[in-house]
Every structure is written in C-alpha cells, then in structure tokens.
Amino acid sequence: MLRHSKASPLLSLPGAVAAEAPDEGVAAHYGDLFREQRTLAGGSGLVDLSHRGVVTVTGSDRLSWLHLLITQHVSELPAGQATEALVLSANGHIEHALYLVDDGETTWAHVEPGTQDGLIAYLESMKFFYRVEVADRTDEFAVVHLPAGSITEVPEGVPVRETAHGRDLFLPRARLAEFAAAHGPAVGVLAYEALRVEGHRPRVGLETDHRTIPHELGWIGTAVHLQKGCYRGQETVARVHNLGKPPRRLVFLHLDGSEVSLPGHGTPVRLASDGPEGRALGFITTAARHHELGPIALALVKRNVAVDAPLLVGEATAASQEVVVEP
C-alpha cells in the first residue's frame, strides 16, 4: 500500500503503464520494455522508485544504536558510504532490507514499499535511552535510481547512495517531475527488475518468505557482517555459517523462450526428470524478460538439488540453472 497520497507524477508521461504489486504507484514501462532496458544498461535514463519507503534516523547515537539492531557493521560508517543491512527475527529470518547511507548528520534508508511502518515500529521499540529520532519521510522524499555510468549531476543537498549498480537519490518529492524532465528518459521498473534478476540481487518479499535466512540468498558479506554480534537473530546466522548448510539456495534460471507468459511468483520448480507430477523442490521468486538473455528468473530451491540438474518450471517450462549460492 502506498503511504504517500498520490501515485507518481511520472505515470502521466506518454506511454506510461502502471506497475502491479508490489510496485504499484510507479510505471512498469513507458511503451518499450527492451529499449528501456538497453537505455538503463548503457548508463542512461532514470528509474522512478518513488513508491519505496524512506526512513531517516537522526541524533548523536544513530550509528552506534543502529549497529546493535541490524546485520551490518555501521558504528563507524563514513559519511557518504553506501551499505545495505537486514533486520532479522529472533529466529534469524529476514524481515526487512535497508539500503543505507549516512550524510554526517542523518542516516537515510529506503525500504520495500509499504514496509516502513513495521520497520519504524520495531526501531521505536528499541530506542530506550539512546539519543535518536526515527522518522517516516516517504511523503517528503522520492527515491530515484540512476544507473552505473550515468553522468547526471546530483542536485546539491540531495542525499545519494552510490554502489556498483548505480546511484539512489533521496530527492524531494516535489522536484520529481522536474528532475525527470531534465534528466530522462524515464525507465520503468520492469527494466530495472530485469537487470536486478540478471545481477542475482535478491529482494525482500519476492526472494524471501517467512522462513528465509540470509545465507540462502547470498546476502552474507554484502548485507551481513560476520565479525559483529549483538543484533537479533545473530545466533542463527553464526550457527548456519559455521555448519555451512542453509536449507535452500538461490539460483538463476534460463527459461525456455517458447512459452508465451512468464511464470509467476511461487510457481513450483521440479527436476525435469520427474516431470510435472514430480515433487516441487523450490519455487520461482522473480521472472523477467531480458533484452539479451530472453526469459530469466530467480528461484529458491532445496540445497541438495544438483547444480547441473535440468529443471522444470510449472507444467512445461524447461530451465537450466546457474549457481548463485553454493550448495
């Protein structure tokens, strides 16, 4: 559910087609999915992610306090250095993913659409005597993504988190339409998602379910710092890391391109040798049409599925796998 009162103004651009859950409120595409993918892959354009939640933490204790609550080492996070982190349940299951940057006075994070209330409720419950203030800034700020290689200048005073995949701007929401007009073309979230799948990057709510742990998705190292403790769920992280046996693993799939439609989230994955009546050994998390690779997907499968085993998605879609998380 959108927390701000209006859908993105970029939905009024020519050709805009509204995205479906979980990305309601922004454009799925602007009329040419593959052209938009090529634009983004070439380092041009911008992606409207204004439906994502924006949370800030201020106060002199903000980094040392967050360090105790999240999976990442942030107690000495330098200003301007981007990172990502998870909030886990007491059993080590993933609840939230935070995409963070600190500007020297404020820690900025964007999160999955509609999840900021739950995150803020947890953070507020853990404030105790720490000098911190947590705020929902979704109504004021819109996340805009600029791809790696983009030469677009970031407006002065706008917080930005820069990674190998591009830059996420926390742009004042009132400036979104003007910024897009000056620095477009706008690219829809389907193109952004296709490149995310190609890059094997998991997303909470799609690659996760109620029992997903970080090891299954390859988030160890990028969002989980193994040399820190204290945070909720840390015991599970340490135990599974030491045993080296997460129950499932994320895989990248090349799908048979003869099928007209893409498999939806949750579509069963089986061994091809077992046929459509075989036991499901996993499920599709995200599927996409890629401008070069054709239909592709991410899936969660049981750890003991052979890495070279041909797979069957749904009733009839053949799939070959690439390893994302080692078994």
Side-chain angles (χ1 to χ4, degrees):
M1 178 183 297
L2 293 177
R3 284 297 315 279
H4 45 89
S5 59
K6 296 180 180 179
S8 171
L10 303 194
L11 277 172
S12 65
L13 292 177
V17 174
E20 299 178 350
D23 293 320
E24 302 101 324
V26 297
H29 61 84
Y30 295 91
D32 192 335
L33 174 61
F34 290 157
R35 177 185 58 79
E36 293 169 35
Q37 282 188 37
R38 288 190 289 269
T39 295
L40 202 60
S44 299
L46 58 88
V47 184
D48 176 11
L49 299 178
S50 61
H51 60 315
R52 292 185 64 82
V54 176
V55 176
T56 60
V57 183
T58 55
S60 57
D61 292 337
R62 66 189 182 282
L63 291 177
S64 58
W65 174 70
L66 282 171
H67 184 79
L68 300 174
L69 305 178
I70 61 179
T71 58
Q72 189 58 271
H73 196 299
V74 296
S75 60
E76 300 173 0
L77 184 68
Q81 179 175 309
T83 192
E84 57 188 83
L86 307 174
V87 171
L88 306 180
S89 72
N91 293 323
H93 301 139
I94 298 169
E95 293 187 346
H96 299 278
L98 290 72
Y99 299 87
L100 295 158
V101 70
D102 191 88
D103 65 9
E105 297 181 353
T106 301
T107 302
W108 296 78
H110 65 81
V111 298
E112 288 297 323
T115 65
Q116 60 268 30
D117 281 352
L119 173 62
I120 290 172
Y122 170 64
L123 294 178
E124 289 284 354
S125 74
M126 302 300 291
K127 284 173 66 172
F128 303 120
F129 55 84
Y130 289 94
R131 293 165 292 184
V132 294
E133 294 295 331
V134 182
D136 181 357
R137 309 294 295 278
T138 310
D139 286 342
E140 303 165 69
F141 291 89
V143 180
V144 175
H145 176 78
L146 302 176
S150 170
I151 61 173
T152 298
E153 292 186 9
V154 176
E156 184 176 357
V158 170
V160 57
R161 60 180 306 274
E162 183 165 2
T163 71
H165 309 298
R167 291 174 287 167
D168 297 336
L169 280 57
F170 295 88
L171 189 73
R173 190 169 289 276
R175 298 171 62 182
L176 176 57
E178 175 189 3
F179 184 82
H183 302 291
V187 172
V189 290
L190 286 184
Y192 179 81
E193 284 289 282
L195 299 186
R196 178 183 71 80
V197 172
E198 179 193 16
H200 306 166
R201 300 194 299 275
R203 182 176 173 186
V204 166
L206 292 177
E207 277 63 58
T208 67
D209 57 20
H210 66 283
R211 58 192 179 95
T212 307
I213 59 176
H215 315 68
E216 296 176 322
L217 303 184
W219 251 326
I220 299 297
T222 60
V224 178
H225 195 287
L226 291 172
Q227 274 67 56
K228 61 160 291 199
C230 302
Y231 60 89
R232 188 174 68 177
Q234 186 267 338
E235 294 84 357
T236 298
V237 170
R239 182 172 65 252
V240 176
H241 178 70
N242 290 330
L243 292 174
K245 294 183 178 180
R248 301 177 296 182
R249 59 186 180 88
L250 187 69
V251 296
F252 175 81
L253 301 180
H254 293 272
L255 304 177
D256 178 3
S258 64
E259 295 296 322
V260 174
S261 59
L262 290 171
H265 176 82
T267 301
V269 175
R270 303 175 173 89
L271 292 176
S273 58
D274 291 343
E277 303 302 321
R279 182 167 58 96
L281 300 175
F283 62 93
I284 294 293
T285 60
T286 307
R289 296 193 188 279
H290 191 275
H291 68 288
E292 291 182 340
L293 301 177
I296 57 176
L298 294 173
L300 267 180
V301 300
K302 292 184 179 297
R303 175 176 55 86
N304 58 3
V305 173
V307 297
D308 58 351
L311 301 177
L312 182 69
V313 175
E315 298 298 314
T317 303
S320 60
Q321 56 176 312
E322 291 184 8
V323 174
V324 176
V325 175
E326 293 286 347

